[in-house]
Amino acid sequence: MRPSATMPARPYRLPTAGELAVGAVWQGVLYGLLFLGWPYFASQALGQFGIAFPFPFGTVLLFGLLLAALAIAAYVARPSRAAGPVAAGYDLAILAYLYWLAQSSSLALAYQSFTIALGVRAVFLLFMVPPAVRLVADLLTTAEDAFRPTERYPFDFPA
Amino acid sequence: MRRRPGLYRAARDVRIAATVFAVLIVVFLGSVALFASEIRPSWGASPFSGFSQGPNETAVASGQIWIANPGEYAIDSLSISTVVLFPGTHGPVVALGGAPSQRIPGGGTTVVGLSLTIPLSTGVGEPLLTENLVLPSETWVNLTYATLFPLRLGLDENLTWGAPFEGLAVDPGTPQSEPNGTYEVPVDLSFNDDAEYSDDGTIGVRVNDPSGVQCGQGVIAIDVDSHAAYDAQFTTYVGSACLASGSTVVLTFQGGPWAISLPPEGFP
């Protein structure tokens, strides 16, 4: 009996550990820039106009490290049943981060006898919508992986 | 081609929706920034015109600000508040003013009317009748742009106040006794009208003895242009009680909408 005649070829090919590692590095660069780079560049840009960065810089960096790590974890977990829960954890962390930013988000500028205070809370609240919606998708993926493991692999990782 | 499973499709569609939301939010915020940069407030030499005499013994300044909002989003709850303080650290409030809350729709220009009222007849406003002062003022502008973005502007500036009876001085001369028992007193009255309106009316003169009982009176007509000096002598007849130390002379200006008492002076 020829095994190849009775065992159909798998319709997907999961990434190897090496491929995941390379992808994780790229993810780290991308999300490092997003979550760690923006506070730096934002504080520099605001400082040019004499506007103080309105958030505790250390806490922003800690959040940034956590979010970058979770983003990498979500990427690495994609070819496993942990994909949904890890992605959900990542989106929940983003929601917590944006909510925290929204609590103290007033940009203030004082120049001689003139002061301006702009409330940007709505910006962060608006940006909470996409991760909140994505959280639903994460739960769907979690359910799919729980009840029909590997069902999505042929589409996410085609052979 | 194999059909994608239902849960997979649902998850994918939700992720696409999330991405579309994110793009829409970025586009919205970009348009807010763009349209907000096109808002232009303008006014004449100053948002406020000069002060004029107002009802109920007040000095009133009014003004207008034109706000052009050519963008698509409205300016909501635009309100302007001004507080004028007496000189000194956290001096008492002399005046309140500003503009009531209003809405400026997108794509239009709105004229915002301003007013500032300084009561002169009572309390801290009284010295403003006879003293030129530099009054610290604080102005706040509050608004909400595009429904979501509150903005607060603050401006501290000094307001130069010109008193309508600056340096008011009443200088009684030597009394001359009259056959009827009264005394004729020549009185020199001087002041500068440093306000932006003329002092046109009458000044009632009432002399009180040390116990506050009226013992002499008179009326003089004045017409002093803005930024002009007044120095004139008039004669008043008073009873002997008015010559006692501690007597006072109270001047009351009546002109336009005002009937206002000036700070009392010593007499003689």
Side-chain angles (χ1 to χ4, degrees):
Chain A
M1 193 170 95
R2 291 182 301 173
S4 61
T6 56
M7 292 177 63
R10 286 201 309 185
Y12 57 87
R13 188 186 76 79
L14 297 180
T16 64
E19 289 169 337
L20 283 176
V22 171
V25 169
W26 283 112
Q27 294 283 313
V29 172
L30 178 67
Y31 287 102
L33 279 175
L34 180 63
F35 294 123
L36 298 171
W38 88 261
Y40 175 76
F41 291 117
S43 66
Q44 294 294 310
L46 292 173
Q48 286 183 346
F49 297 100
I51 303 172
F53 191 63
F55 314 106
F57 207 78
T59 311
V60 170
L61 290 183
L62 279 177
F63 254 121
L65 282 172
L66 172 70
L67 290 172
L70 281 171
I72 294 169
Y75 174 81
V76 171
R78 281 177 66 225
S80 74
R81 293 173 69 168
V86 175
Y90 169 59
D91 284 326
L92 280 173
I94 287 183
L95 286 172
Y97 180 51
L98 291 170
Y99 184 76
W100 174 74
L101 290 176
Q103 298 314 300
S104 56
S105 52
S106 178
L107 300 177
L109 166 66
Y111 177 72
Q112 294 181 346
S113 61
F114 199 68
T115 58
I116 300 177
L118 172 65
V120 290
R121 176 185 168 96
V123 172
F124 298 107
L125 294 179
L126 279 175
F127 275 121
M128 287 177 72
V129 173
V133 172
R134 220 166 38 229
L135 198 55
V136 176
D138 299 335
L139 296 177
L140 289 171
T141 299
T142 302
E144 185 180 22
D145 284 350
F147 297 114
R148 301 188 185 98
T150 76
E151 181 185 67
R152 62 184 173 86
Y153 288 178
F155 309 101
D156 282 345
F157 310 103
Chain B
M1 187 174 173
R2 188 179 166 193
R3 183 175 166 77
R4 289 180 168 82
L7 276 176
Y8 182 88
R9 271 188 286 125
R12 184 196 60 179
D13 291 347
V14 170
R15 285 198 176 88
I16 290 172
T19 305
V20 169
F21 276 130
V23 171
L24 289 175
I25 290 166
V26 169
V27 170
F28 169 68
L29 293 176
S31 68
V32 167
L34 177 67
F35 292 138
S37 70
E38 295 175 346
I39 296 173
R40 294 283 182 276
S42 62
W43 52 81
S46 166
F48 283 105
S49 62
F51 281 98
S52 61
Q53 292 174 312
N56 301 318
E57 290 69 62
T58 59
V60 177
S62 58
Q64 290 180 322
I65 296 178
W66 285 262
I67 297 179
N69 179 23
E72 293 298 317
Y73 303 118
I75 297 172
D76 291 307
S77 306
L78 169 69
S79 64
I80 301 174
S81 303
T82 297
V83 170
V84 179
L85 305 172
F86 206 73
T89 308
H90 305 301
V93 173
V94 171
L96 297 171
S101 179
Q102 57 190 287
R103 181 176 193 271
I104 303 176
T109 297
T110 298
V111 181
V112 178
L114 304 170
S115 70
L116 181 64
T117 302
I118 296 184
L120 296 171
S121 60
T122 56
V124 293
E126 200 171 58
L128 298 176
L129 288 167
T130 57
E131 293 178 40
N132 291 345
L133 292 169
V134 175
L135 304 171
S137 74
E138 298 170 10
T139 299
W140 298 277
V141 179
N142 288 291
L143 60 89
T144 302
Y145 186 64
T147 309
L148 297 175
F149 301 97
L151 179 69
R152 178 187 173 98
L153 306 175
L155 176 64
D156 294 345
E157 64 177 351
N158 289 324
L159 189 71
T160 302
W161 169 259
F165 301 95
E166 194 277 328
L168 177 73
V170 180
D171 186 15
T174 305
Q176 302 290 327
S177 63
E178 293 289 301
N180 62 0
T182 62
Y183 289 83
E184 176 191 284
V185 183
V187 179
D188 191 57
L189 174 65
S190 63
F191 62 85
N192 297 308
D193 181 1
D194 286 335
E196 290 148 15
Y197 42 87
S198 62
D199 292 335
D200 184 6
T202 60
I203 289 184
V205 181
R206 194 181 75 218
V207 184
N208 295 331
D209 68 17
S211 62
V213 176
Q214 182 177 327
C215 52
Q217 64 178 1
V219 176
I220 53 174
I222 62 167
D223 185 1
V224 186
D225 289 336
S226 171
H227 300 294
Y230 178 83
D231 189 353
Q233 196 172 66
F234 65 92
T235 301
T236 186
Y237 295 90
V238 300
S240 58
C242 287
L243 302 182
S245 176
S247 296
T248 55
V249 58
V250 177
L251 306 180
T252 302
F253 173 75
Q254 279 196 307
W258 282 4
I260 194 166
S261 293
L262 305 177
E265 299 278 322
F267 186 92

